Amino acid sequence: MEMSGEYRIAAPRARVWAALNDPDILRDSIPGCQELTKQSDTEMSAVVQAKVGMVRATFTGAVTLSNLNPPIGYTITGEGKGGVAGFAKGGADVSLAEDGPDATILRYKAQGQVGGKLAQIGARLIDATAKQMADQFFAKFAERVGGAGVQETALARAEHAVEHAVEGAASAVAEVAQEAEQEVEKAAVRNFLGGPQMWALLALVAGIVLIIIFR
């Protein structure tokens, strides 16, 4: 199982590097992470709850940082055991590149392996779940570290929500107007069928028929 990705974070590289070594930020960013405790400058212990297909398990294990090259990048590896669900282990090479003075490009290339019941689920589902968790992690990490970028993201989401609300309101108004128009048409038909216009029309038709017959 291999995957890679790239993310632009609205923060200087030094701040991103510091965040990559901050257990509190990492804990808040890792999907399903319940505990992440720093044991040393290069070791952490973790408790993570994950769901792959129908298998849900709590993994306990260790995370190790190596190949440290501040503030350019490092290698992060981990292994967790989930009881009867099996185990998961893997690692990722993470690199940081400056994108101007206030932004950083984070790139990662990761590989992983699972065993036990997890290995019976199927490679496609495992790959999709791993990719989803990686995207969730880096998206959350970028929000935590991004500063101004977080505000821009929040504003964009708010604008998007307003657009949806306006579109929904316009659609609702159009539906109400259409229903009202249909009711008006139905009422007009009922009034016509039950009104003097209908009887006059019937009388005219009857007269025309009689003229044709007795001509």
Side-chain angles (χ1 to χ4, degrees):
M1 178 176 60
E2 295 184 356
M3 55 187 172
S4 60
E6 178 179 300
Y7 295 85
R8 184 180 188 275
I9 302 175
R13 184 167 62 174
R15 185 194 301 173
V16 178
W17 171 261
L20 283 173
N21 292 271
D22 187 326
D24 292 333
I25 293 179
L26 293 176
R27 180 179 59 250
D28 292 343
S29 302
I30 298 173
C33 185
Q34 299 177 336
E35 295 180 20
L36 186 66
T37 305
K38 189 172 184 178
Q39 306 295 340
S40 69
D41 290 339
T42 59
E43 295 178 324
M44 303 179 191
S45 60
V47 178
V48 178
Q49 187 177 76
K51 181 177 183 295
V52 182
M54 300 300 293
V55 178
R56 182 189 296 273
T58 299
F59 295 86
T60 58
V63 177
T64 303
L65 307 180
S66 59
N67 300 325
L68 279 78
N69 185 17
I72 297 175
Y74 63 26
T75 299
I76 181 171
T77 56
E79 181 174 359
K81 297 180 180 180
V84 295
F87 70 88
K89 62 180 180 180
D93 293 320
V94 182
S95 64
L96 305 176
E98 292 182 343
D99 187 24
D102 299 316
T104 303
I105 301 298
L106 184 152
R107 297 183 178 91
Y108 76 91
K109 186 174 182 181
Q111 57 183 0
Q113 179 183 355
V114 296
K117 185 181 290 187
L118 286 174
Q120 303 172 9
I121 294 176
R124 284 189 177 182
L125 182 56
I126 293 175
D127 288 351
T129 302
K131 178 62 175 175
Q132 182 183 34
M133 292 183 68
D135 286 339
Q136 290 175 349
F137 167 77
F138 285 108
K140 182 66 174 180
F141 179 83
E143 288 185 1
R144 283 293 308 269
V145 183
V150 176
Q151 297 176 0
E152 293 174 3
T153 301
L155 179 59
R157 288 177 178 172
E159 291 176 349
H160 193 56
V162 170
E163 289 176 0
H164 273 289
V166 171
E167 291 175 358
S171 177
V173 170
E175 290 180 1
V176 171
Q178 185 177 6
E179 292 177 358
E181 183 178 355
Q182 291 174 350
E183 289 299 324
V184 170
E185 292 176 354
K186 291 178 182 178
V189 172
R190 287 195 298 268
N191 291 336
F192 178 79
L193 293 177
Q197 298 93 337
M198 182 60 184
W199 293 109
L201 178 60
L202 290 176
L204 177 60
V205 172
I208 293 174
V209 172
L210 289 175
I211 291 173
I212 293 175
I213 293 174
F214 294 103
R215 184 177 179 181

